[in-house]
Amino acid sequence: MKKTLIIYSPGVFSQRGHAFDYVQGLGMALSMQDVEVHVLGWDGPLHLPGDIYEHRVPVANSLNRTDYRRYGLLGDVFWGVLRIRQQRELSEELLRLHSDLPVASVLFETFEYVDLARLLKKISWPDKCFCIFHDTNFNIRHTSIIAALYKRAMRSYARNILKSVSTAYVHGQEMANNLTASLGIVHKQELVGKICVIPYGAPHPDDVEIVDRQTAQSVLDLPQDKNILLAFGTLRRDKNFTVVLQALNSAPDWCLVVAGPEGDYTYAALLATAREHNVCDRVRIFNEFIPPEKHALYFGSADVVVNIYDLSVRHESGTAQKARTFLKPVLGGGTPDLGKYITSQGVGWYADPLTSETIASLLNVIGQFDDSEWLSIRNRIYQCANEKSWKSISIIVLENNLR
C-alpha cells in the first residue's frame, strides 16, 4: 500500500521564511521514494512541484510580521494573537483533510505551540504525528521582549507536544541539548528519546544549474573587481550584521550583498549601521523575495556565503546548507551547531571568537586563495552534499515515521 504523508506548514506558499524551500526539498525527495505527499498551508503566491498535492486555505488577514511593526511592542502582541487564532482555523482544515486520508501520517513542519498542543490532545491518531523544532530557545534570549516572554510561556505547551508526537526532529546536537534544557526534561528519557537530530537537507549540486561567477555578477550588476560576500534570506534581528559590517571596514577587497525580504529587521536599520562604519559604498541590497529559479544567480555571484548569528542562536542555518548546493563555502559564527557543521565537514570557516577582527582577518586570508585552494574546498563541499542531500533526509523520515 502506498504511504501517504500530510505536511502541515502554514507559511509554505509565502514569500518569506524557510518553509517553501524546506517543504519542496523534503516533499519531492519523499515523492521519489513513492510517498504520496500532501501539503497544507495558507494560500500564497508560491507553487510546489506537480508531484506534491497542494491544499490551500484562504487567509483573511496578513500574517507578515513587518505589517505590525509600526505599532511597536504592541504590534508583536497583535501579530501573535492573530497568528494563534488563524492557526486554529488551519488545524480544523487539517482534521478535514485527514478524514479524507485516514491512513496518512502528519508532519508538523512549522506550527504554533498552543494550537498544536490542543490539537494533539483532541485527535485519536497522535502516534501518526511527528514534528520539527526549527527553534529550541524557550527562554528569554530574544531581541524582542514580547517574543522572549512568549517563548518562555510556551515551554509547557512544547513539553505536551513532545509527549504526544512520535518523533521531534531538530537540526543539530546543540539544538537538541538546548531543547531538553529549556523544557526541563533532561532526566526524562521517555521524552529525550523522541528527539532525533537530522541534517538540514539541500538540493544536490548535480540537480541544479550552476551559474559561473562572472556571468552572475554581470547579470546582477555587481562589481567584478571585488570579492563578494553573500547574506541570503529573510532579514532578521538574530543575524548579526553589525559585526559583519564592522569587519568589512577592515577588509577593503570585499563587498557585502544582502538578498531577501525584510523580516523583523529592516534594510533602513542595516544601511544606518553600514553608514556608521563607512562601508555603505560596498553594500548592495536586493530587497525582495528571491524565487528558487534565481538562487543559482545569487549564489553563483558569491565567493563566500556569510551566516553570522547572535550567540544565543541554536541552529545550523538553512542558507548555510543551501550554499553547498551551489558549491559555495560558508563563513559562519555565533551558533555552535553551525560551527560544528563547517569545521567537521571542512566547508568553510567559523569565526571564533565572534569579533569583527576575527571576521576581517579571515576575509583577508580568503581573498588571497589560489585556484588549487578553491578547488579543494569545492571538492569537500561536493562530498558533504552527497551525505546531506534531501534524499538522505527522506530515507531517515521513511524509516522512522512512514513504515
Side-chain angles (χ1 to χ4, degrees):
M1 185 176 182
K2 191 170 186 177
K3 299 175 177 65
T4 305
L5 175 67
I6 300 170
I7 301 179
Y8 177 98
S9 180
V12 65
F13 304 117
S14 168
Q15 292 182 328
R16 285 175 172 80
H18 72 276
F20 179 78
D21 273 355
Y22 197 99
V23 172
Q24 176 179 245
L26 180 58
M28 284 301 296
L30 286 168
S31 293
M32 294 175 69
Q33 300 285 338
D34 202 31
V35 176
E36 183 177 296
V37 178
H38 296 255
V39 175
L40 173 65
W42 295 117
D43 196 9
L46 301 184
H47 294 271
L48 293 164
D51 291 341
I52 298 175
Y53 296 90
E54 296 182 347
H55 302 270
R56 297 167 175 265
V57 179
V59 57
N61 300 101
S62 169
L63 280 174
N64 179 10
R65 199 166 180 175
T66 58
D67 293 342
Y68 297 85
R69 185 181 294 120
R70 63 180 179 274
Y71 301 114
L73 290 179
L74 280 178
D76 279 341
V77 176
F78 296 154
W79 175 81
V81 170
L82 179 61
R83 182 169 180 257
I84 291 173
R85 290 177 61 184
Q86 292 192 336
Q87 296 290 310
R88 290 185 178 180
E89 181 183 342
L90 200 62
S91 295
E92 292 302 316
E93 187 60 34
L94 173 65
L95 294 178
R96 287 190 285 270
L97 177 59
H98 195 273
S99 68
D100 294 333
L101 304 166
V103 299
S105 298
V106 181
L107 166 60
F108 292 93
E109 187 272 328
T110 45
F111 49 87
E112 195 286 315
Y113 303 100
V114 175
D115 183 64
L116 181 54
R118 177 193 64 83
L119 177 66
L120 290 170
K121 281 187 177 181
K122 181 178 180 180
I123 62 178
S124 60
W125 32 270
D127 56 310
K128 293 182 179 180
C129 298
F130 57 109
C131 70
I132 302 171
F133 281 97
H134 288 291
D135 181 3
T136 62
N137 273 342
F138 293 89
N139 46 45
I140 58 173
R141 295 193 298 269
H142 293 266
T143 51
S144 163
I145 185 63
I146 299 298
L149 293 173
Y150 166 77
K151 288 303 293 287
R152 193 173 183 87
M154 290 302 104
R155 289 182 297 181
S156 62
Y157 296 101
R159 280 193 293 268
N160 288 334
I161 290 168
L162 193 55
K163 288 177 184 177
S164 299
V165 297
S166 61
T167 312
Y169 290 110
V170 295
H171 299 300
Q173 187 57 51
E174 285 298 323
M175 287 188 74
N177 297 341
N178 195 50
L179 182 61
T180 57
S182 295
L183 300 186
I185 59 170
V186 175
H187 301 297
K188 296 184 177 181
Q189 190 53 46
E190 71 278 10
L191 297 183
V192 175
K194 291 186 176 185
I195 301 170
C196 180
V197 178
I198 57 172
Y200 197 117
H204 193 279
D206 291 347
D207 297 331
V208 300
E209 174 193 15
I210 302 291
V211 180
D212 70 87
R213 180 176 178 272
Q214 184 175 357
T215 299
Q217 290 179 352
S218 177
V219 172
L220 295 174
D221 194 25
L222 297 176
Q224 298 191 14
D225 60 341
K226 298 287 186 182
N227 299 309
I228 301 296
L229 193 62
L230 173 67
F232 189 86
T234 303
L235 211 61
R236 301 201 315 264
R237 281 188 267 183
D238 63 357
K239 296 179 178 181
N240 195 333
F241 283 102
T242 298
V243 72
V244 176
L245 293 167
Q246 288 173 338
L248 208 62
N249 188 274
S250 301
D253 294 333
W254 288 82
C255 283
L256 174 66
V257 173
V258 189
E262 290 183 338
D264 60 358
Y265 188 57
T266 67
Y267 279 106
L270 187 147
L271 286 174
T273 304
R275 282 192 293 270
E276 181 183 339
H277 297 289
N278 301 310
V279 294
C280 245
D281 61 326
R282 287 188 285 123
V283 176
R284 288 292 308 276
I285 287 172
F286 295 87
N287 181 7
E288 59 184 345
F289 171 77
I290 312 298
E293 59 268 21
K294 290 187 177 180
H295 287 186
L297 197 60
Y298 285 86
F299 282 92
S301 73
D303 296 281
V304 175
V305 175
V306 62
N307 295 100
I308 304 293
Y309 293 89
D310 291 341
L311 293 172
S312 63
V313 173
R314 291 292 180 272
H315 61 64
E316 282 189 353
S317 169
T319 300
Q321 316 307 312
K322 176 59 75 73
R324 68 172 176 264
T325 297
F326 301 100
L327 301 177
K328 296 296 180 176
V330 174
L331 173 56
T335 166
D337 282 318
L338 178 57
K340 183 177 180 180
Y341 164 69
I342 291 172
T343 55
S344 65
Q345 301 291 328
V347 295
W349 308 269
Y350 188 67
D352 186 19
L354 182 54
T355 64
S356 59
E357 291 81 9
T358 303
I359 296 170
S361 177
L362 286 169
L363 289 176
N364 289 324
V365 170
I366 296 166
Q368 302 302 314
F369 277 12
D370 59 26
D371 290 345
S372 64
E373 289 170 304
W374 285 116
L375 178 61
S376 179
I377 292 170
R378 284 195 293 271
N379 287 340
R380 292 196 298 271
I381 296 171
Y382 188 87
Q383 180 58 40
C384 180
N386 285 335
E387 299 170 3
K388 297 177 182 289
S389 68
W390 279 121
K391 180 180 179 180
S392 301
I393 312 307
S394 72
I395 291 172
I396 296 173
V397 171
L398 271 172
E399 292 179 348
N400 286 349
N401 306 101
L402 299 172
R403 290 181 177 178

